[in-house]
């Protein structure tokens, strides 16, 4: 069966990537909306992008109101500035939130209306050119056809998709990830690990996505602990930037599974950052998924050298799970309780979370069959 494999139109990676992007930037339009957050402005990262736009002879306006994970109201604010200032393309600088916001703003430029109109539909809007400049090594949003936006009226995180959401240009310049603090490095790095592991063990996995996923898993196990402990280590930062891009390309084509399905409702209801809620779920969800894909998890274990070819697939899989538990401990990921989530409130929300998770469709990509009742039990086991 033929399978499609999609990636961004152009990718520039490595030190000096932003400087190399100037020629492309000059060809995309006359006025850009730079979508970012206040921290990027404060750290001076936004100024570096502004300088590049000036060198490219491009006028711009800044929208820095992306606070936390993006909501429908933030998207409305950005769209208004884009239209009021007659912009003709978009640049996003930041973690997954500004990049996801840029995609959502772009999808409404021609169509109008609200981002919530796309819930449950594939986005096919005519889009302006989009440039994604990630400052964290994690979400992979610079390489995907997905955007996650919170519907503030229904209190749900919408996973929206459409190949038109893939950026025109992805600029992976490690100078921007050097400023990420340890907690963000850990959360985003483990998010990328989830992307890679889930896409490799997804029912939708294919040869090319496997290649990117395996490479990402190996890089992350080697370099995330280094980047977490020593943020100034340029080699570790470069390798994590590449790993996040690889993992983004992998799940863009093979999709995610159980972890992401169960993670989004925790984020929506308890305001846990996406990477953290993924990391909290890894042991529980992958422990459930193992028996449906011992052969796949065994490959991962052998690739990161925690199992040998003499181990059975089942034994190797369990060694991989132990390695996952180890890296979440190294990165100091809190439990739900340590995060400050009230047990009674969490348990009261479990039926809604299990329903919303199944509704998203992601858990069904897991190679082991599951039901809503299984998700209920896993949520309970988390506490």
């Amino acid at each position: 069966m033929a399978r499609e494999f999609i990636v961004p139109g152009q990718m520039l990676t490595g030190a000096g990537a932003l400087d190399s992007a100037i020629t492309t930037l000059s060809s995309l339009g006359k006025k850009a909306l730079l979508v970012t957050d206040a921290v990027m402005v404060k750290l001076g990262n936004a100024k570096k992008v502004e300088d590049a736009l000036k060198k490219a002879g491009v006028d711009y306006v800044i929208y820095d109101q992306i606070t936390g994970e993006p909501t429908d109201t933030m998207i409305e604010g950005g769209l208004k500035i884009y239209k009021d200032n007659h912009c003709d393309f978009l640049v996003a600088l930041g973690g997954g939130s500004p990049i996801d916001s840029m995609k959502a703003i772009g999808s409404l430029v021609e169509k109008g209306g609200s981002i919530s109109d796309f819930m449950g539909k594939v986005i096919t809007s005519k889009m302006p050119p989009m440039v994604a400049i990630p400052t964290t090594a994690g979400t992979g949003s610079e390489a995907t056809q997905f955007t996650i936006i919170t519907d503030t009226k229904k209190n749900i995180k919408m996973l929206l998709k459409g190949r038109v959401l893939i950026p025109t240009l992805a600029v992976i310049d490690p100078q921007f990830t050097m400023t990420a603090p340890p907690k963000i490095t850990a959360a985003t790095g483990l998010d990328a690990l989830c992307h890679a592991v889930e896409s490799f063990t997804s029912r939708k996995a294919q040869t090319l996505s496997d290649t990117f996923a395996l490479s990402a898993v190996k890089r992350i196990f080697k370099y995330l602990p280094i980047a977490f402990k020593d943020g100034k280590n340029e080699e570790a930062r470069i390798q994590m930037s590449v790993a996040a891009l690889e993992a983004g390309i992998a799940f863009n084509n093979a999709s995610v599974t159980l972890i992401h399905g169960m993670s989004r409702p925790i984020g929506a209801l308890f305001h846990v950052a996406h990477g953290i809620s993924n990391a909290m779920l890894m042991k529980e969800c992958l422990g459930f998924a193992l028996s449906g894909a011992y052969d796949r998890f065994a490959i991962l274990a052998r690739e990161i050298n925690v199992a040998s070819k003499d181990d059975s697939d089942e034994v190797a899989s369990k060694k991989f799970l132990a390695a996952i538990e180890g890296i979440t401990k190294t990165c100091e990921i809190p439990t739900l309780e340590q995060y400050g989530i009230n047990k009674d409130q969490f348990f009261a929300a479990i039926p809604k979370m299990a329903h919303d998770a199944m509704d998203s469709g992601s858990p069904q990509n897991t190679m082991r069959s599951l039901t809503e009742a299984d998700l209920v039990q896993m949520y309970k086991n988390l506490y």
Side-chain angles (χ1 to χ4, degrees), residues 56-258:
V58 172
D59 197 5
Y60 62 90
V61 59
I62 297 179
Y63 178 56
D64 63 1
Q65 298 302 301
I66 309 301
T67 53
E69 299 191 346
T71 63
D72 45 11
T73 47
M74 290 179 207
I75 304 312
E76 283 158 28
L79 182 64
K80 186 175 184 321
I81 290 180
Y82 183 96
K83 291 195 156 169
D84 288 353
N85 288 276
H86 308 292
C87 296
D88 54 6
F89 75 106
L90 289 147
V91 179
L93 171 75
S97 297
I99 298 174
D100 278 4
S101 300
M102 168 182 75
K103 294 175 179 181
I105 292 165
S107 69
L108 297 175
V109 164
E110 295 252 333
K111 181 191 165 290
S114 162
I115 192 66
S116 304
D117 300 343
F118 288 120
M119 180 70 181
K121 298 176 188 150
V122 173
I123 298 175
T124 56
S125 315
K126 185 172 187 301
M127 302 282 286
M130 294 187 294
V131 180
I133 309 171
T135 59
T136 59
T139 68
S141 187
E142 68 276 5
T144 75
Q145 58 181 326
F146 304 104
T147 180
I148 298 176
I149 308 292
T150 299
D151 180 328
T152 52
K153 293 166 197 73
K154 294 184 184 157
N155 212 7
I156 51 168
K157 275 193 178 185
M158 303 179 290
L159 173 67
L160 307 172
K161 73 172 283 190
R163 60 162 61 195
V164 295
L165 297 180
I166 300 181
T168 318
L169 169 65
V171 181
I172 321 298
D173 194 324
Q175 68 169 318
F176 292 114
T177 65
M178 303 297 282
T179 52
K183 276 185 179 166
I184 301 279
T185 300
T188 53
L190 290 170
D191 186 21
L193 183 59
C194 284
H195 292 152
V197 172
E198 286 183 283
S199 57
F200 192 75
T201 58
S202 163
R203 290 181 190 273
K204 295 179 178 171
Q206 53 166 301
T207 310
L208 280 169
S209 65
D210 285 352
T211 304
F212 282 89
L214 273 180
S215 181
V217 170
K218 288 199 285 193
R219 272 186 225 276
I220 293 165
F221 268 99
K222 183 171 180 182
Y223 291 103
L224 178 57
I226 300 169
F228 176 68
K229 290 193 172 78
D230 175 17
K232 297 278 180 279
N233 187 309
E234 194 174 6
E235 177 64 8
R237 292 293 198 184
I238 288 170
Q239 295 292 340
M240 281 305 299
S241 292
V242 173
L245 178 66
E246 290 174 325
I249 290 169
F251 94 87
N252 188 41
N253 290 281
S255 203
V256 285
T257 63
L258 186 55

Side-chain angles (χ1 to χ4, degrees), residues 291-326:
S291 63
Y294 282 141
D295 57 333
R296 305 292 283 171
F297 283 104
I299 292 168
L300 292 171
R302 294 181 185 115
E303 287 286 339
I304 62 163
N305 298 316
V306 295
S308 74
K309 59 182 190 307
D310 299 330
D311 290 317
S312 70
D313 284 355
E314 184 176 345
V315 167
S317 293
K318 287 175 178 165
K319 287 183 175 178
F320 182 72
L321 190 61
I324 288 280
E325 212 180 333

